[in-house]
PDB file of all heavy atoms in Angstrom:
ATOM      1  N   PRO A   1       7.756  -0.818  13.749  1.00 88.00           N
ATOM      2  CA  PRO A   1       8.770  -1.277  14.648  1.00 88.00           C
ATOM      3  C   PRO A   1       8.327  -2.356  15.612  1.00 88.00           C
ATOM      4  O   PRO A   1       9.139  -3.130  16.133  1.00 88.00           O
ATOM      5  CB  PRO A   1       9.128   0.082  15.387  1.00 88.00           C
ATOM      6  CG  PRO A   1       8.723   1.175  14.499  1.00 88.00           C
ATOM      7  CD  PRO A   1       7.538   0.610  13.763  1.00 88.00           C
ATOM      8  N   LEU A   2       7.036  -2.385  15.940  1.00 88.00           N
ATOM      9  CA  LEU A   2       6.513  -3.392  16.831  1.00 88.00           C
ATOM     10  C   LEU A   2       6.009  -4.644  16.135  1.00 88.00           C
ATOM     11  O   LEU A   2       5.372  -5.520  16.774  1.00 88.00           O
ATOM     12  CB  LEU A   2       5.436  -2.759  17.756  1.00 88.00           C
ATOM     13  CG  LEU A   2       6.010  -1.595  18.701  1.00 88.00           C
ATOM     14  CD1 LEU A   2       4.827  -1.066  19.502  1.00 88.00           C
ATOM     15  CD2 LEU A   2       7.188  -2.045  19.515  1.00 88.00           C
ATOM     16  N   GLY A   3       6.058  -4.639  14.829  1.00 92.00           N
ATOM     17  CA  GLY A   3       5.715  -5.874  14.096  1.00 92.00           C
ATOM     18  C   GLY A   3       4.323  -5.811  13.509  1.00 92.00           C
ATOM     19  O   GLY A   3       3.785  -6.818  13.120  1.00 92.00           O
ATOM     20  N   ASN A   4       3.620  -4.664  13.546  1.00 91.00           N
ATOM     21  CA  ASN A   4       2.298  -4.524  12.997  1.00 91.00           C
ATOM     22  C   ASN A   4       2.369  -4.135  11.447  1.00 91.00           C
ATOM     23  O   ASN A   4       3.237  -3.348  11.114  1.00 91.00           O
ATOM     24  CB  ASN A   4       1.515  -3.381  13.727  1.00 91.00           C
ATOM     25  CG  ASN A   4       2.285  -2.058  13.723  1.00 91.00           C
ATOM     26  OD1 ASN A   4       3.367  -2.001  14.257  1.00 91.00           O
ATOM     27  ND2 ASN A   4       1.652  -1.011  13.208  1.00 91.00           N
ATOM     28  N   LEU A   5       1.552  -4.801  10.643  1.00 93.00           N
ATOM     29  CA  LEU A   5       1.583  -4.546   9.255  1.00 93.00           C
ATOM     30  C   LEU A   5       1.318  -3.101   8.931  1.00 93.00           C
ATOM     31  O   LEU A   5       0.374  -2.504   9.438  1.00 93.00           O
ATOM     32  CB  LEU A   5       0.510  -5.402   8.525  1.00 93.00           C
ATOM     33  CG  LEU A   5       0.469  -5.223   6.998  1.00 93.00           C
ATOM     34  CD1 LEU A   5       1.758  -5.610   6.277  1.00 93.00           C
ATOM     35  CD2 LEU A   5      -0.696  -6.053   6.418  1.00 93.00           C
ATOM     36  N   LEU A   6       2.185  -2.505   8.095  1.00 94.00           N
ATOM     37  CA  LEU A   6       1.942  -1.056   7.674  1.00 94.00           C
ATOM     38  C   LEU A   6       1.446  -1.006   6.238  1.00 94.00           C
ATOM     39  O   LEU A   6       0.358  -0.579   5.946  1.00 94.00           O
ATOM     40  CB  LEU A   6       3.254  -0.213   7.742  1.00 94.00           C
ATOM     41  CG  LEU A   6       3.870  -0.059   9.125  1.00 94.00           C
ATOM     42  CD1 LEU A   6       5.064   0.742   9.030  1.00 94.00           C
ATOM     43  CD2 LEU A   6       2.771   0.687  10.007  1.00 94.00           C
ATOM     44  N   PHE A   7       2.241  -1.478   5.254  1.00 95.00           N
ATOM     45  CA  PHE A   7       1.786  -1.509   3.864  1.00 95.00           C
ATOM     46  C   PHE A   7       2.604  -2.523   3.063  1.00 95.00           C
ATOM     47  O   PHE A   7       3.618  -3.057   3.533  1.00 95.00           O
ATOM     48  CB  PHE A   7       1.889  -0.059   3.270  1.00 95.00           C
ATOM     49  CG  PHE A   7       3.201   0.604   3.190  1.00 95.00           C
ATOM     50  CD1 PHE A   7       4.067   0.372   2.124  1.00 95.00           C
ATOM     51  CD2 PHE A   7       3.684   1.359   4.280  1.00 95.00           C
ATOM     52  CE1 PHE A   7       5.297   0.946   2.016  1.00 95.00           C
ATOM     53  CE2 PHE A   7       4.946   1.851   4.239  1.00 95.00           C
ATOM     54  CZ  PHE A   7       5.809   1.663   3.112  1.00 95.00           C
ATOM     55  N   TYR A   8       2.171  -2.678   1.873  1.00 96.00           N
ATOM     56  CA  TYR A   8       2.893  -3.614   0.956  1.00 96.00           C
ATOM     57  C   TYR A   8       2.639  -3.253  -0.480  1.00 96.00           C
ATOM     58  O   TYR A   8       1.691  -2.464  -0.756  1.00 96.00           O
ATOM     59  CB  TYR A   8       2.417  -5.121   1.207  1.00 96.00           C
ATOM     60  CG  TYR A   8       0.963  -5.364   1.140  1.00 96.00           C
ATOM     61  CD1 TYR A   8       0.386  -5.899  -0.115  1.00 96.00           C
ATOM     62  CD2 TYR A   8       0.021  -5.032   2.088  1.00 96.00           C
ATOM     63  CE1 TYR A   8      -0.944  -6.177  -0.223  1.00 96.00           C
ATOM     64  CE2 TYR A   8      -1.295  -5.290   1.994  1.00 96.00           C
ATOM     65  CZ  TYR A   8      -1.796  -5.825   0.821  1.00 96.00           C
ATOM     66  OH  TYR A   8      -3.108  -6.065   0.692  1.00 96.00           O
ATOM     67  N   THR A   9       3.343  -3.873  -1.396  1.00 95.00           N
ATOM     68  CA  THR A   9       3.205  -3.486  -2.786  1.00 95.00           C
ATOM     69  C   THR A   9       3.531  -4.731  -3.700  1.00 95.00           C
ATOM     70  O   THR A   9       4.202  -5.701  -3.266  1.00 95.00           O
ATOM     71  CB  THR A   9       4.178  -2.411  -3.221  1.00 95.00           C
ATOM     72  OG1 THR A   9       3.967  -2.032  -4.562  1.00 95.00           O
ATOM     73  CG2 THR A   9       5.661  -2.817  -3.093  1.00 95.00           C
ATOM     74  N   ASN A  10       2.890  -4.762  -4.832  1.00 93.00           N
ATOM     75  CA  ASN A  10       3.187  -5.697  -5.870  1.00 93.00           C
ATOM     76  C   ASN A  10       3.934  -5.079  -7.138  1.00 93.00           C
ATOM     77  O   ASN A  10       3.953  -5.662  -8.152  1.00 93.00           O
ATOM     78  CB  ASN A  10       1.871  -6.382  -6.408  1.00 93.00           C
ATOM     79  CG  ASN A  10       0.946  -5.390  -7.002  1.00 93.00           C
ATOM     80  OD1 ASN A  10       1.098  -4.211  -6.981  1.00 93.00           O
ATOM     81  ND2 ASN A  10      -0.172  -5.976  -7.558  1.00 93.00           N
ATOM     82  N   GLY A  11       4.468  -3.881  -6.907  1.00 93.00           N
ATOM     83  CA  GLY A  11       5.135  -3.123  -7.962  1.00 93.00           C
ATOM     84  C   GLY A  11       4.300  -2.203  -8.762  1.00 93.00           C
ATOM     85  O   GLY A  11       4.723  -1.518  -9.581  1.00 93.00           O
ATOM     86  N   CYS A  12       2.973  -2.349  -8.545  1.00 93.00           N
ATOM     87  CA  CYS A  12       1.931  -1.629  -9.300  1.00 93.00           C
ATOM     88  C   CYS A  12       1.196  -0.667  -8.412  1.00 93.00           C
ATOM     89  O   CYS A  12       0.857   0.456  -8.836  1.00 93.00           O
ATOM     90  CB  CYS A  12       0.980  -2.459  -9.989  1.00 93.00           C
ATOM     91  SG  CYS A  12       1.640  -3.639 -11.176  1.00 93.00           S
ATOM     92  N   ALA A  13       0.900  -1.092  -7.124  1.00 94.00           N
ATOM     93  CA  ALA A  13       0.142  -0.217  -6.257  1.00 94.00           C
ATOM     94  C   ALA A  13       0.605  -0.436  -4.849  1.00 94.00           C
ATOM     95  O   ALA A  13       1.350  -1.525  -4.569  1.00 94.00           O
ATOM     96  CB  ALA A  13      -1.359  -0.554  -6.365  1.00 94.00           C
ATOM     97  N   ILE A  14       0.232   0.379  -3.883  1.00 95.00           N
ATOM     98  CA  ILE A  14       0.511   0.226  -2.530  1.00 95.00           C
ATOM     99  C   ILE A  14      -0.703   0.092  -1.707  1.00 95.00           C
ATOM    100  O   ILE A  14      -1.563   0.859  -1.820  1.00 95.00           O
ATOM    101  CB  ILE A  14       1.277   1.457  -1.964  1.00 95.00           C
ATOM    102  CG1 ILE A  14       2.621   1.672  -2.795  1.00 95.00           C
ATOM    103  CG2 ILE A  14       1.671   1.286  -0.451  1.00 95.00           C
ATOM    104  CD1 ILE A  14       3.323   2.975  -2.448  1.00 95.00           C
ATOM    105  N   ALA A  15      -0.835  -1.018  -0.934  1.00 94.00           N
ATOM    106  CA  ALA A  15      -2.029  -1.259  -0.103  1.00 94.00           C
ATOM    107  C   ALA A  15      -1.584  -1.186   1.329  1.00 94.00           C
ATOM    108  O   ALA A  15      -0.496  -1.454   1.738  1.00 94.00           O
ATOM    109  CB  ALA A  15      -2.647  -2.625  -0.389  1.00 94.00           C
ATOM    110  N   ASP A  16      -2.535  -0.655   2.145  1.00 93.00           N
ATOM    111  CA  ASP A  16      -2.225  -0.453   3.583  1.00 93.00           C
ATOM    112  C   ASP A  16      -2.605  -1.633   4.431  1.00 93.00           C
ATOM    113  O   ASP A  16      -2.938  -2.696   3.893  1.00 93.00           O
ATOM    114  CB  ASP A  16      -2.882   0.877   4.087  1.00 93.00           C
ATOM    115  CG  ASP A  16      -4.513   0.786   4.084  1.00 93.00           C
ATOM    116  OD1 ASP A  16      -5.020  -0.328   3.841  1.00 93.00           O
ATOM    117  OD2 ASP A  16      -5.070   1.814   4.251  1.00 93.00           O
ATOM    118  N   TRP A  17      -2.544  -1.522   5.733  1.00 91.00           N
ATOM    119  CA  TRP A  17      -2.781  -2.662   6.615  1.00 91.00           C
ATOM    120  C   TRP A  17      -4.242  -3.122   6.622  1.00 91.00           C
ATOM    121  O   TRP A  17      -4.616  -4.258   7.017  1.00 91.00           O
ATOM    122  CB  TRP A  17      -2.396  -2.278   7.972  1.00 91.00           C
ATOM    123  CG  TRP A  17      -3.190  -1.134   8.571  1.00 91.00           C
ATOM    124  CD1 TRP A  17      -2.935   0.204   8.417  1.00 91.00           C
ATOM    125  CD2 TRP A  17      -4.313  -1.170   9.409  1.00 91.00           C
ATOM    126  NE1 TRP A  17      -3.877   0.995   9.125  1.00 91.00           N
ATOM    127  CE2 TRP A  17      -4.725   0.134   9.677  1.00 91.00           C
ATOM    128  CE3 TRP A  17      -5.096  -2.268  10.008  1.00 91.00           C
ATOM    129  CZ2 TRP A  17      -5.843   0.483  10.556  1.00 91.00           C
ATOM    130  CZ3 TRP A  17      -6.134  -1.968  10.752  1.00 91.00           C
ATOM    131  CH2 TRP A  17      -6.498  -0.566  10.999  1.00 91.00           C
ATOM    132  N   THR A  18      -5.187  -2.296   6.061  1.00 89.00           N
ATOM    133  CA  THR A  18      -6.526  -2.707   5.863  1.00 89.00           C
ATOM    134  C   THR A  18      -6.759  -3.266   4.481  1.00 89.00           C
ATOM    135  O   THR A  18      -7.954  -3.644   4.140  1.00 89.00           O
ATOM    136  CB  THR A  18      -7.467  -1.498   6.053  1.00 89.00           C
ATOM    137  OG1 THR A  18      -7.298  -0.609   4.994  1.00 89.00           O
ATOM    138  CG2 THR A  18      -7.323  -0.758   7.366  1.00 89.00           C
ATOM    139  N   HIS A  19      -5.746  -3.413   3.711  1.00 90.00           N
ATOM    140  CA  HIS A  19      -5.649  -3.938   2.292  1.00 90.00           C
ATOM    141  C   HIS A  19      -6.435  -3.077   1.315  1.00 90.00           C
ATOM    142  O   HIS A  19      -6.808  -3.596   0.389  1.00 90.00           O
ATOM    143  CB  HIS A  19      -6.284  -5.314   2.361  1.00 90.00           C
ATOM    144  CG  HIS A  19      -5.617  -6.251   3.352  1.00 90.00           C
ATOM    145  ND1 HIS A  19      -4.294  -6.567   3.302  1.00 90.00           N
ATOM    146  CD2 HIS A  19      -6.083  -6.835   4.451  1.00 90.00           C
ATOM    147  CE1 HIS A  19      -3.916  -7.378   4.319  1.00 90.00           C
ATOM    148  NE2 HIS A  19      -5.126  -7.478   5.053  1.00 90.00           N
ATOM    149  N   HIS A  20      -6.563  -1.818   1.576  1.00 91.00           N
ATOM    150  CA  HIS A  20      -7.077  -0.843   0.662  1.00 91.00           C
ATOM    151  C   HIS A  20      -5.949  -0.008  -0.002  1.00 91.00           C
ATOM    152  O   HIS A  20      -4.870   0.165   0.659  1.00 91.00           O
ATOM    153  CB  HIS A  20      -7.975   0.139   1.322  1.00 91.00           C
ATOM    154  CG  HIS A  20      -9.322  -0.434   1.774  1.00 91.00           C
ATOM    155  ND1 HIS A  20      -9.436  -0.964   3.041  1.00 91.00           N
ATOM    156  CD2 HIS A  20     -10.472  -0.729   1.116  1.00 91.00           C
ATOM    157  CE1 HIS A  20     -10.644  -1.453   3.238  1.00 91.00           C
ATOM    158  NE2 HIS A  20     -11.320  -1.345   1.984  1.00 91.00           N
ATOM    159  N   ILE A  21      -5.988   0.261  -1.246  1.00 93.00           N
ATOM    160  CA  ILE A  21      -5.005   1.121  -1.920  1.00 93.00           C
ATOM    161  C   ILE A  21      -4.896   2.445  -1.277  1.00 93.00           C
ATOM    162  O   ILE A  21      -5.989   3.161  -1.106  1.00 93.00           O
ATOM    163  CB  ILE A  21      -5.316   1.234  -3.436  1.00 93.00           C
ATOM    164  CG1 ILE A  21      -5.537  -0.161  -4.098  1.00 93.00           C
ATOM    165  CG2 ILE A  21      -4.206   1.946  -4.073  1.00 93.00           C
ATOM    166  CD1 ILE A  21      -4.333  -1.049  -4.034  1.00 93.00           C
ATOM    167  N   ILE A  22      -3.713   2.840  -0.912  1.00 93.00           N
ATOM    168  CA  ILE A  22      -3.615   4.150  -0.178  1.00 93.00           C
ATOM    169  C   ILE A  22      -3.826   5.282  -1.242  1.00 93.00           C
ATOM    170  O   ILE A  22      -3.752   5.079  -2.455  1.00 93.00           O
ATOM    171  CB  ILE A  22      -2.274   4.335   0.527  1.00 93.00           C
ATOM    172  CG1 ILE A  22      -1.121   4.382  -0.427  1.00 93.00           C
ATOM    173  CG2 ILE A  22      -2.055   3.072   1.509  1.00 93.00           C
ATOM    174  CD1 ILE A  22       0.238   4.661   0.212  1.00 93.00           C
ATOM    175  N   SER A  23      -4.108   6.464  -0.700  1.00 91.00           N
ATOM    176  CA  SER A  23      -4.289   7.611  -1.516  1.00 91.00           C
ATOM    177  C   SER A  23      -3.088   7.899  -2.379  1.00 91.00           C
ATOM    178  O   SER A  23      -1.920   7.972  -1.889  1.00 91.00           O
ATOM    179  CB  SER A  23      -4.637   8.879  -0.716  1.00 91.00           C
ATOM    180  OG  SER A  23      -4.838   9.976  -1.463  1.00 91.00           O
ATOM    181  N   TYR A  24      -3.231   8.003  -3.704  1.00 91.00           N
ATOM    182  CA  TYR A  24      -2.151   8.158  -4.780  1.00 91.00           C
ATOM    183  C   TYR A  24      -1.204   6.938  -4.739  1.00 91.00           C
ATOM    184  O   TYR A  24      -0.079   7.097  -5.260  1.00 91.00           O
ATOM    185  CB  TYR A  24      -1.419   9.512  -4.404  1.00 91.00           C
ATOM    186  CG  TYR A  24      -2.270  10.707  -4.445  1.00 91.00           C
ATOM    187  CD1 TYR A  24      -2.552  11.377  -3.277  1.00 91.00           C
ATOM    188  CD2 TYR A  24      -2.795  11.177  -5.586  1.00 91.00           C
ATOM    189  CE1 TYR A  24      -3.367  12.426  -3.204  1.00 91.00           C
ATOM    190  CE2 TYR A  24      -3.632  12.294  -5.628  1.00 91.00           C
ATOM    191  CZ  TYR A  24      -3.900  13.005  -4.397  1.00 91.00           C
ATOM    192  OH  TYR A  24      -4.730  14.045  -4.392  1.00 91.00           O
ATOM    193  N   GLY A  25      -1.671   5.832  -4.231  1.00 91.00           N
ATOM    194  CA  GLY A  25      -0.820   4.652  -4.139  1.00 91.00           C
ATOM    195  C   GLY A  25      -0.843   3.791  -5.369  1.00 91.00           C
ATOM    196  O   GLY A  25      -0.283   2.705  -5.472  1.00 91.00           O
ATOM    197  N   ASP A  26      -1.626   4.153  -6.371  1.00 91.00           N
ATOM    198  CA  ASP A  26      -1.784   3.407  -7.612  1.00 91.00           C
ATOM    199  C   ASP A  26      -0.663   3.926  -8.659  1.00 91.00           C
ATOM    200  O   ASP A  26       0.050   4.860  -8.358  1.00 91.00           O
ATOM    201  CB  ASP A  26      -3.129   3.442  -8.219  1.00 91.00           C
ATOM    202  CG  ASP A  26      -3.608   4.827  -8.522  1.00 91.00           C
ATOM    203  OD1 ASP A  26      -2.871   5.758  -8.137  1.00 91.00           O
ATOM    204  OD2 ASP A  26      -4.615   5.034  -9.164  1.00 91.00           O
ATOM    205  N   SER A  27      -0.602   3.297  -9.790  1.00 88.00           N
ATOM    206  CA  SER A  27       0.188   3.683 -10.844  1.00 88.00           C
ATOM    207  C   SER A  27       1.722   3.914 -10.552  1.00 88.00           C
ATOM    208  O   SER A  27       2.321   4.883 -10.867  1.00 88.00           O
ATOM    209  CB  SER A  27      -0.360   4.976 -11.500  1.00 88.00           C
ATOM    210  OG  SER A  27      -1.614   4.879 -11.839  1.00 88.00           O
ATOM    211  N   LEU A  28       2.251   2.930  -9.806  1.00 92.00           N
ATOM    212  CA  LEU A  28       3.662   3.054  -9.511  1.00 92.00           C
ATOM    213  C   LEU A  28       4.532   2.842 -10.750  1.00 92.00           C
ATOM    214  O   LEU A  28       5.612   3.431 -10.870  1.00 92.00           O
ATOM    215  CB  LEU A  28       4.017   1.929  -8.422  1.00 92.00           C
ATOM    216  CG  LEU A  28       3.491   2.153  -7.013  1.00 92.00           C
ATOM    217  CD1 LEU A  28       4.084   1.040  -6.050  1.00 92.00           C
ATOM    218  CD2 LEU A  28       3.856   3.552  -6.456  1.00 92.00           C
ATOM    219  N   ASN A  29       4.104   1.973 -11.599  1.00 87.00           N
ATOM    220  CA  ASN A  29       4.799   1.698 -12.795  1.00 87.00           C
ATOM    221  C   ASN A  29       3.978   1.990 -14.002  1.00 87.00           C
ATOM    222  O   ASN A  29       3.300   1.036 -14.546  1.00 87.00           O
ATOM    223  CB  ASN A  29       5.303   0.162 -12.805  1.00 87.00           C
ATOM    224  CG  ASN A  29       6.737   0.045 -12.323  1.00 87.00           C
ATOM    225  OD1 ASN A  29       7.644   0.758 -12.932  1.00 87.00           O
ATOM    226  ND2 ASN A  29       6.932  -0.697 -11.282  1.00 87.00           N
ATOM    227  N   ILE A  30       3.955   3.220 -14.482  1.00 84.00           N
ATOM    228  CA  ILE A  30       3.140   3.583 -15.600  1.00 84.00           C
ATOM    229  C   ILE A  30       3.875   3.191 -16.849  1.00 84.00           C
ATOM    230  O   ILE A  30       5.119   3.072 -16.836  1.00 84.00           O
ATOM    231  CB  ILE A  30       2.855   5.096 -15.572  1.00 84.00           C
ATOM    232  CG1 ILE A  30       4.143   5.821 -15.573  1.00 84.00           C
ATOM    233  CG2 ILE A  30       1.974   5.538 -14.436  1.00 84.00           C
ATOM    234  CD1 ILE A  30       3.939   7.406 -15.653  1.00 84.00           C
ATOM    235  N   GLY A  31       3.099   2.863 -17.863  1.00 85.00           N
ATOM    236  CA  GLY A  31       3.733   2.377 -19.126  1.00 85.00           C
ATOM    237  C   GLY A  31       2.991   1.193 -19.581  1.00 85.00           C
ATOM    238  O   GLY A  31       2.034   0.660 -19.074  1.00 85.00           O
TER     239      GLY A  31
END
C-alpha cells in the first residue's frame, strides 16, 4: 500500500522483494 515492492511473476515462478523465489513459488504453470 505504501509503494514498496512485494513480489512479481513471469507466469512460471513468484519472486519476492529480495528477488528470491518464495517458498512453493515455483511451478505455477506445470506442463
Side-chain angles (χ1 to χ4, degrees):
L2 299 180
N4 56 302
L5 176 64
L6 293 180
F7 61 91
Y8 58 98
T9 184
N10 62 354
C12 297
I14 303 173
D16 64 14
W17 61 277
T18 68
H19 307 297
H20 292 94
I21 306 301
I22 69 175
S23 181
Y24 302 108
D26 58 351
S27 303
L28 289 186
N29 262 303
I30 57 177

